[in-house]
Amino acid sequence: MHRRHPEIDPQLLSETEEQRELRTVLRDFFTEASGPEDVRKHLATPRGHDEALWARMAGEIGVHGLAIPDEYGGSGFTFAELAVALEESGRALCCAPLLPTVVLAGYALLNSGDRQACERYLPRIADGTLTATVAGFHDDEPLISAERGASGWVLRGAAGFVLDGAGADLIVVRARTTDGPRLFACEPNGDTCTRTPRRVLDETRRQALVEFRGAPATPVGDSGEVTATLDAGRAALAAEQIGGSGHALDATVEFVAQRQQFGRPIGSFQAVKHRLADVLVVLEAARSASSYATACVATASPQLPVAASAAAAVCSETFRLATAEYVQLHGGIGFTWEHPAHLYVRRARSSEVLFGTADRHRARLAELIGLATRSAA
């Protein structure tokens, strides 16, 4: 059972001057290099994102290595700085695989405590030359098995809807062994690993079916514990959702200030003001939940499970509301294919089920703080 009162320094919930400067740089960068038309153009490419932009993010700004320690080629900052980058990428709907590569695979390696694996892979993640993802992390009992072959460990089985699964250079796999679940690093090849892109609602976040047929793998760490990694992923996704919600609100406010009806801007009507005020209120509440989850990841707080599930529930519903109003208050044009609003709606709908629905997170919260009912259990 977790303590109900947070034990995080309140100063960690406020943005530092350095983080504000990073936000300004990133917002200008994404505005210049990853606008809606850029996103649409690169959705049709084999990798689904702008590979030149990916390299610039790593080389010019150092986004990939923000939360990676100096000893592994990173900048040695914390998850708080990475969360700024995630929020701004979510605001721009950037389709680069930051979430699977930098957060999920990166934190899986760091949390494993396997220095050799970290030395092998994290420097390449930090410099942008390696993309990565995870598989089998969501299953209580992994569907993928690992067995010792003549020349080492091999993987068998399948994982569905793996983020960036069709293109990632490295897959960190949670597989079952005779001694229980364990993590493995697999660099897939076509002979032993089949990767089939899935058709998904949100094309800016590609997913794939990954099938292992005796794929060579290397053990990572000594256990298959992935809770902390998934909670870091939930905190990262919450930051993305805050960015997307902020864009939806700002774009809608700008539109209603310009759109004229009955000789006046529609934003001057009280009903429209109230709807936008509702979005602002829930967005500020969600921002607080996201900031707390970010601080918990950055400090390795034992409150992280509570904070991550709270942020997941609150930020998912906020993003859904913000994008719904984005479409509705833009009137007919919000439904057209050419307008970016529907891209944000798709991202919102897919994100709210990525690490479990809001209802599942509320049930988890109830269990964590000792309020679980018989029906929730």
Side-chain angles (χ1 to χ4, degrees):
M1 177 174 174
H2 289 248
R3 301 170 71 93
R4 297 191 186 185
H5 300 291
E7 297 177 348
I8 292 291
D9 183 347
Q11 290 186 341
L12 295 176
L13 304 179
S14 301
E15 217 169 54
T16 66
E17 182 61 33
E18 198 169 42
Q19 289 165 1
R20 281 192 288 272
E21 291 176 2
L22 175 62
R23 183 181 300 282
T24 299
V25 169
L26 286 165
R27 187 164 301 186
D28 291 343
F29 176 79
F30 284 124
T31 299
E32 176 263 326
S34 188
E37 292 309 311
D38 296 299
V39 171
R40 291 176 185 273
K41 179 175 67 175
H42 292 290
L43 288 180
T45 63
R47 282 296 278 119
H49 67 270
D50 186 348
E51 295 183 78
L53 176 69
W54 178 255
R56 288 183 62 194
M57 289 167 63
E60 295 179 19
I61 306 176
V63 170
H64 305 46
L66 283 171
I68 294 177
D70 296 333
E71 60 185 311
Y72 300 131
S75 303
F77 289 102
T78 71
F79 186 83
E81 285 71 33
L82 179 57
V84 172
L86 289 161
E87 183 177 336
E88 291 305 313
S89 71
R91 184 182 182 89
L93 212 67
C94 179
C95 46
L98 271 177
L99 180 61
T101 296
V102 178
V103 181
L104 295 176
Y107 271 85
L109 292 168
L110 286 170
N111 292 335
S112 74
D114 189 324
R115 186 175 183 84
Q116 185 176 359
C118 289
E119 290 175 344
R120 181 176 182 179
Y121 297 117
L122 288 179
R124 288 191 285 159
I125 288 178
D127 67 17
T129 58
L130 180 78
T131 57
T133 189
V134 300
F137 278 39
H138 297 282
D139 304 313
D140 292 333
E141 181 63 28
L143 301 179
I144 304 165
S145 64
E147 57 191 48
R148 290 186 183 273
S151 57
W153 289 92
V154 294
L155 301 175
R156 302 188 187 279
F161 297 99
V162 175
L163 295 177
D164 197 35
D169 305 310
L170 168 71
I171 305 177
V172 181
V173 182
R174 181 171 178 261
R176 67 179 185 273
T177 70
T178 54
D179 297 322
R182 190 171 180 182
L183 297 185
F184 294 85
C186 175
E187 298 180 47
N189 63 71
D191 295 330
T192 58
C193 183
T194 303
R195 303 191 278 177
T196 307
R198 293 286 203 182
R199 185 176 183 182
V200 291
L201 177 66
D202 176 19
E203 295 178 341
T204 67
R205 178 166 278 149
R206 291 192 175 184
Q207 301 180 48
L209 169 66
V210 180
E211 298 173 279
F212 300 97
R213 298 188 176 92
T218 304
V220 175
D222 296 321
S223 76
E225 177 54 49
V226 295
T227 302
T229 299
L230 287 175
D231 282 334
R234 291 174 181 118
L237 184 62
E240 272 194 10
Q241 291 169 321
I242 292 298
S245 299
H247 163 82
L249 178 59
D250 291 346
T252 306
V253 169
E254 181 180 4
F255 176 77
V256 299
Q258 297 173 354
R259 176 76 166 87
Q260 297 280 327
Q261 188 68 38
F262 304 114
R264 54 191 283 199
I266 63 173
S268 66
F269 296 118
Q270 191 173 43
V272 174
K273 290 180 180 179
H274 284 177
R275 290 172 68 168
L276 291 173
D278 288 342
V279 175
L280 178 60
V281 169
V282 297
L283 176 55
E284 289 306 306
R287 192 182 301 279
S288 296
S290 174
S291 297
Y292 180 48
T294 292
C296 286
V297 178
T299 60
S301 168
Q303 287 289 311
L304 175 58
V306 170
S309 279
V314 173
C315 294
S316 291
E317 293 186 343
T318 297
F319 199 11
R320 174 192 274 263
L321 173 64
T323 53
E325 295 292 28
Y326 190 9
V327 169
Q328 293 296 326
L329 291 178
H330 272 75
I333 65 170
F335 290 95
T336 61
W337 184 256
E338 292 76 15
H339 198 277
H342 76 92
L343 296 175
Y344 285 85
V345 172
R346 290 165 181 264
R347 174 66 70 87
R349 294 298 178 90
S350 67
S351 294
E352 67 180 321
V353 298
L354 193 57
F355 294 116
T357 64
D359 286 343
R360 287 189 62 184
H361 285 296
R362 289 193 182 92
R364 184 189 185 210
L365 276 171
E367 293 174 2
L368 288 171
I369 64 176
L371 295 179
T373 62
R374 182 171 301 176
S375 60

